[in-house]
Structures are given as structure tokens and as C-alpha cells.
Amino acid sequence: MKAQLDRADLELLLAIRAHGSLAGAAAAADVVPSVITKRLAALEARLGLKLFQRTTRRVVPTAEGEAICERAQGLLAGFHAMEAELRERQREPVGRIRLAATFGFGRAWLGPVLAEFQARHPQLEVQLQLTEQLPDLAVEGFDGAVWLWAVRGQRASEWTGRRLARNQRVLAASPEYLQRRGTPGSLEELAAHDCLVVRENEQFDIWRLQRERDRSELRVRVGGPLSSNSGELVRDWCLAGHGIMLRSLWDIAAPLAAGKLVRVLPGYAMVDADIHWLAPHSASTPKRIRLLVDFLAERFRAEPWKVRPSAARPGSRPRR
């Protein structure tokens, strides 16, 4: 018959090692010392191993006993973690969730989803801070952020990330602008158009586009009489017929669906604009955060902003 160890055996060995005596282990378990002595003797007989050396002053583990105790610590820690997780799963989540997100996506898409999530879990308080600069999440006390890029560089070791949804930045213009100026049929023609530029980085006038056909990346230098550090203002200029812009699908889904904007060069897009969950790295994640991230992933996975694009006909040449 094979020797077997159960959880009580492991707890017994660790208690004896921690107290350094059978009497100490017995006192901690609120039993008489003879109970501990008999249990240890039965265990050693069952295993066929001497687990502790007894002296007049102290009980110390043998090499075999120490090895079993070391393994026992990890196994019992796993038991405790599993039990804690099961207890947590049975409870309704409570507490506060503090999040950061950009103004545009936060208002248009994240806000309504968070309200729905909070209604499902009324004991939670959800705080959303809208900002244009990603804060230092751990230092400023945020549980996480919903942002438009993944964890890279040094922060990859400090933060965790999960993609919630795919997203593209696409070229778009109003029908009025294209009727007046013509529709570009190539990137070379695009460069000759009035392009509405968001001045948000050092290379704001270079658009990095991926060709859908072969996934190759191409760069085109663009320019025009209007530019701004506000993406929302650039979108408004585009709707008013002042030029062509590069904008996230989530931001222009409604005007695309309504025909107020149309895709330009629909075979090209900027693809590094996916929606991500970012959070400070932690050994364990509270239930309320796990539930939230899963809920966001479920709601955004289908890319609710994705519409059947109204693509501009590429046949006409720009008129200068």
C-alpha cells in the first residue's frame, strides 16, 4: 500500500517545525502532547521515514523532514489561495474602482459600459477620470486605464495589459470635400490634398499606413492649412468639408454610418490603435477588477463602433 499524505499531515509537520517541540505544536492545536506524539509516530511509520530528531530541548527536522516541510509550505499556500478565491467568488463585489481613460473614448464608449457594469454590481463605486495624458497608475492610485496602445518598453515589466478590442485609424472625408476636390486614388494623390493633421507627436505630419492587401507599411507626408492638437476639432473640420483626416473608427462610426463621412483609400489604415486595458502589475487581482475587465472585453470584443464603411470611389483624380 502506497504511503499518502493529507492536508492535516502537512499542517502537523509545519506546526512541529515552527514551534520546535511537540508540546508547542500541541498547545497551538489545543490538544495534549500525547496526541501530537502519536500522530507523528504514525505518520513516520506510514512513510517509513524519520522526519524529526528529538532532543531534550528541541525537535528539529531531518533532511527528509525538511524537504517535506518545504514542499508542504507551497502546497498549503496553494490551498489557502484557492479557498480565498472560492470565498471571494461567492460574495458580491464591493469597494471602489478608479479608472483613467481618454476624453473621447471615455465619453463615447466607456462611460455607458461602466454605468451598465455598476448597475449590475450596485455595491461598487466606479470613478472614471478622463485625461489626455496617461497617468502613473500606481503612484496616483488608479486600478487601471482603458487606453489606445499596449504596454511597451520599461512599463511592460511594471504594468499588465490586455487587448479589449481591435481598432483602426482610417482616412475619411466629407462627400462635399470630395465632390469639390476629387477623390485621391493613391497615397501620392493623398499627399496633394488638404489633410487635417492632429499635432500630437513630433512626426504629426507623417501618416504611417498599412496596406490591407499585403500588410506592408507605407509612410506619406501630409499637410494642409488646418491643424490642431485637438482630435475632436479636426473631426469637426472634416465634417465641415475642410479636408481629409486620419481618425479612429470608434470616433467616426456614427457619421460614417449616416453618410456624413466616407472612407478614403479604404485599402489603407493605421492599425496601432487597439483598445487596451492597462493596470499596475500585482501578485493578485481583486474580484471587482477581474469582473470589470471581463465585462469590458465582452462588450468591446465585437467592436460596436464598426460599421460597413462607405468608401469613396477611387476613380476620380484630384482637381487643383
Side-chain angles (χ1 to χ4, degrees), residues 54-68:
R54 296 136 173 104
T55 68
T56 54
R57 293 187 176 182
R58 191 161 178 80
V59 174
V60 296
T62 63
E64 293 79 8
E66 184 65 31
I68 293 176

Side-chain angles (χ1 to χ4, degrees), residues 38-89:
K38 290 178 181 178
R39 284 185 59 194
L40 177 59
L43 178 57
E44 289 180 324
R46 195 164 76 243
L47 296 176
L49 294 171
K50 184 80 169 173
L51 301 177
F52 287 91
Q53 294 286 0
R54 296 136 173 104
T55 68
T56 54
R57 293 187 176 182
R58 191 161 178 80
V59 174
V60 296
T62 63
E64 293 79 8
E66 184 65 31
I68 293 176
C69 285
E70 288 299 316
R71 292 292 300 275
Q73 279 189 314
L75 291 171
L76 290 175
F79 274 122
H80 295 153
M82 180 176 62
E83 290 171 342
E85 182 177 342
L86 290 173
R87 287 194 299 270
E88 186 184 34
R89 287 179 181 275

